[in-house]
Amino acid sequence: MPRYVSAHDVTLYWAGLTGCCTAMATVYFWRGSAAEPWTEGIGWVIGLGWLMVVMTLVALVVTLARGLHGDGPKGWLVAAVCAVLGVVPAYFIAGWMLTPPPPGDPASPELRPAWTASDPTGGGKAVAIWQQGETVVRVREDGLTAYRAGDGTRLWTLATPARETVCAAGTDPAGTVAAVALSRSLGECESVRAVDLGSGTWAWGERVVKITDAVDRERRGHQLAVTGGTVLIAEEERLRAVKASDGTELWSGPAAKNCDNLAVAATGAKVALVEYCPGTYPQGTTALRMLGAADGKEAWRTSLGTETRLTALQLLSVQPPVVRVQEQDGAGVHGVLSLSEKGAVRAVVKDGAGPDLRLVLEPNNQSISAPGLRAVVTGDQLVAAVKVRGLGEAVAAFSLADGAQRWLVDAGSGAYGLAAGTDGVLALTDYGYDNQLLRIDPQNGSVRSRQVLPTGQSSATAWLGGTASRTLIGYGLYDPSVPVLRGLPR
């Protein structure tokens, strides 16, 4: 006669499941916590551990509810045997899921910060970070603070004048002089002042007519640039060049007819200027002009192909000319344009760079027309953060000659900062439990080194810099809740 499973047997099965799940949870937690922090798959293994904990609790509750009816020793024996049987598959499953760095991808232990500095006041958000040699300056809405890159010593703090806030900041300093634009009562930028980085004092003050973002008056960031001994000021209807040393005007020129200056950047002897020419809302066109820094003479002017209002703009490079454009029309221009030295469009890296890739260039939690932190131009290629369908984020390189993708490096759940250095592309990435600093070979995408930062601020767009002895990370740009600057050993 067939043997039916009794209620007593079912209870023993639940006891066995309790033991098996308990053992498997223990193995998953042990292997996940014992793995090196840079190992891929840790999150999945720890997740399986928590799943086993839930199953253990369910099985235990059912076992206790049904009761062993005086057969406790047998139930314990069944649980113990099943626990032993569960260890082996859990061990090998965890080993299969944990992926060490591939050959040629060296990893190093946790990298502890040499120093950490927070803003001296609870003032406004940071709008820029400058580096001049061994001096690092954090520019906030309510003032500026300088630190020594080697040890984090605060060198000086400079508050903004009463009732004024920083509304735009120039690019990296020219010598020991940098520039900021100021506004009163959070209005339009009304003045430009130069900062002496050696003494931490105002070098000069310059009244201007108007500095504002011609597309969105609440968004500023590209209206000042510094190159050599010249500060470029992109007023709405006029571009002016002044001496960085004393503010004396060198030259000025009007925007094209019915157009407004939107953004300026400069490198060496060249100045890149973006003009926005509005039409009947929401129509508007955009052009890139290349000028000489010495006299403002125009070398060329090229349309960027937009026909509607801009929603994003980033001047990523002047030499070679590279600009990221996004317009309101969903079928319009959305991507990074590479231009030749004569102004001809060479290639376009579209925001949807492929069927499974999308560029991610805006600072997190802030849609502003500001210098890019998640993209860098190195050689003749664009290196940028991308979203990979179903896999999180990555760092990818694209040719500026034809827009083709060259390589891809996994960045976990986020690539929050990119910078080009002498030893490769530096990338700050987030793997859930820690941040990692990757040094990537720009030629082939191989990871030269991988350093773990367990105390990093995940999900924070970051500025990256460095000296011969320090790697510098500035967290919290555009986000006042994370005002941290760190110096790390190289």
Side-chain angles (χ1 to χ4, degrees):
M1 295 181 61
R3 182 180 182 277
Y4 295 97
V5 178
S6 67
H8 177 65
D9 292 336
V10 171
T11 302
L12 292 179
Y13 293 156
W14 280 105
L17 182 61
T18 302
C20 182
C21 291
T22 301
M24 295 182 77
T26 302
V27 171
Y28 288 138
F29 285 132
W30 165 60
R31 294 219 60 180
S33 60
E36 299 291 359
W38 53 80
T39 304
E40 296 180 15
I42 292 179
W44 289 104
V45 172
I46 297 295
L48 278 178
W50 284 112
L51 177 62
M52 291 299 105
V53 167
V54 173
M55 293 181 64
T56 297
L57 293 175
V58 171
L60 181 61
V61 168
V62 173
T63 301
L64 295 177
R66 297 180 67 89
L68 292 172
H69 304 291
D71 205 5
K74 187 176 181 180
W76 283 109
L77 178 62
V78 170
V81 171
C82 290
V84 173
L85 294 176
V87 167
V88 176
Y91 183 88
F92 285 104
I93 290 174
W96 172 72
M97 297 181 70
L98 295 171
T99 305
D105 184 2
S108 57
E110 294 179 349
L111 185 64
R112 298 292 176 180
W115 56 267
T116 298
S118 298
D119 287 342
T121 68
K125 61 188 178 184
V127 296
I129 296 179
W130 298 325
Q131 182 182 353
Q132 178 62 30
E134 291 289 329
T135 300
V136 185
V137 181
R138 187 175 173 88
V139 185
R140 305 182 316 277
E141 289 177 326
D142 63 337
L144 302 83
T145 305
Y147 302 90
R148 183 181 292 120
D151 56 15
T153 299
R154 188 181 302 167
L155 301 176
W156 49 260
T157 296
L158 178 63
T160 57
R163 298 181 182 274
E164 293 188 307
T165 59
V166 174
C167 55
T171 50
D172 279 341
T176 60
V177 176
V180 296
L182 302 172
S183 67
R184 290 181 62 85
S185 303
L186 300 178
E188 294 178 344
C189 298
E190 297 175 344
S191 65
V192 172
R193 285 179 176 261
V195 182
D196 185 327
L197 301 183
S199 61
T201 58
W202 298 113
W204 50 265
E206 170 80 6
R207 299 298 294 183
V208 298
V209 176
K210 184 186 298 183
I211 295 180
T212 185
D213 188 316
V215 173
D216 185 339
R217 298 179 189 279
E218 298 299 320
R219 307 189 305 175
R220 307 182 183 97
H222 257 322
Q223 285 74 33
L224 292 175
V226 182
T227 181
T230 305
V231 176
L232 285 307
I233 307 170
E235 298 178 27
E236 188 169 347
E237 298 177 354
R238 196 167 194 85
L239 177 66
R240 285 203 284 168
V242 301
K243 281 187 179 180
S245 58
D246 59 13
T248 301
E249 184 169 308
L250 299 172
W251 54 264
S252 68
K257 185 178 180 180
N258 299 323
C259 297
D260 298 319
N261 292 326
L262 182 59
V264 65
T267 300
K270 295 187 176 183
V271 177
L273 179 68
V274 176
E275 291 180 338
Y276 177 70
C277 309
T280 303
Y281 184 85
Q283 277 71 40
T285 61
T286 311
L288 178 63
R289 298 174 63 194
M290 191 64 66
L291 313 173
D295 54 12
K297 184 178 179 180
E298 181 177 287
W300 48 262
R301 186 179 190 272
T302 298
S303 171
L304 297 181
T306 63
E307 296 182 4
T308 56
R309 180 179 181 273
L310 291 184
T311 57
L313 171 73
Q314 291 171 328
L315 271 168
L316 298 175
S317 173
V318 177
Q319 293 180 286
V322 181
V323 58
R324 189 276 176 98
V325 176
Q326 188 178 71
E327 64 174 305
Q328 185 169 321
D329 183 359
V333 180
H334 296 263
V336 176
L337 281 68
S338 164
L339 292 85
S340 71
E341 292 301 321
K342 294 184 178 180
V345 176
R346 300 171 63 202
V348 178
V349 180
K350 295 182 178 180
D351 277 4
D356 299 314
L357 292 182
R358 179 175 58 84
L359 295 181
V360 184
L361 301 185
E362 294 89 351
N364 281 6
N365 305 320
Q366 187 75 23
S367 177
I368 94 169
S369 172
L373 298 172
R374 308 180 78 183
V376 63
V377 173
T378 174
D380 200 32
Q381 65 183 10
L382 169 75
V383 180
V386 297
K387 175 71 175 177
V388 184
R389 183 182 299 174
L391 295 178
E393 290 192 12
V395 178
F398 302 91
S399 169
L400 292 177
D402 57 16
Q405 180 185 326
R406 289 183 170 174
W407 48 259
L408 187 76
V409 175
D410 176 47
S413 59
Y416 297 131
L418 292 171
T422 56
D423 54 352
V425 175
L426 189 64
L428 179 67
T429 62
D430 179 18
Y431 284 81
Y433 295 94
D434 51 56
N435 288 170
Q436 295 183 13
L437 271 176
L438 310 184
R439 282 184 171 81
I440 305 171
D441 186 331
Q443 298 303 315
N444 55 27
S446 63
V447 179
R448 292 173 173 172
S449 68
R450 184 185 299 265
Q451 296 172 306
V452 177
L453 309 176
T455 55
Q457 299 283 352
S458 62
S459 302
T461 303
W463 168 91
L464 299 176
T467 65
S469 61
R470 291 285 182 264
T471 296
L472 304 170
I473 303 179
Y475 294 100
L477 281 179
Y478 320 116
D479 182 358
S481 67
V482 199
V484 176
L485 183 66
R486 283 194 171 97
L488 304 129
R490 286 186 65 110

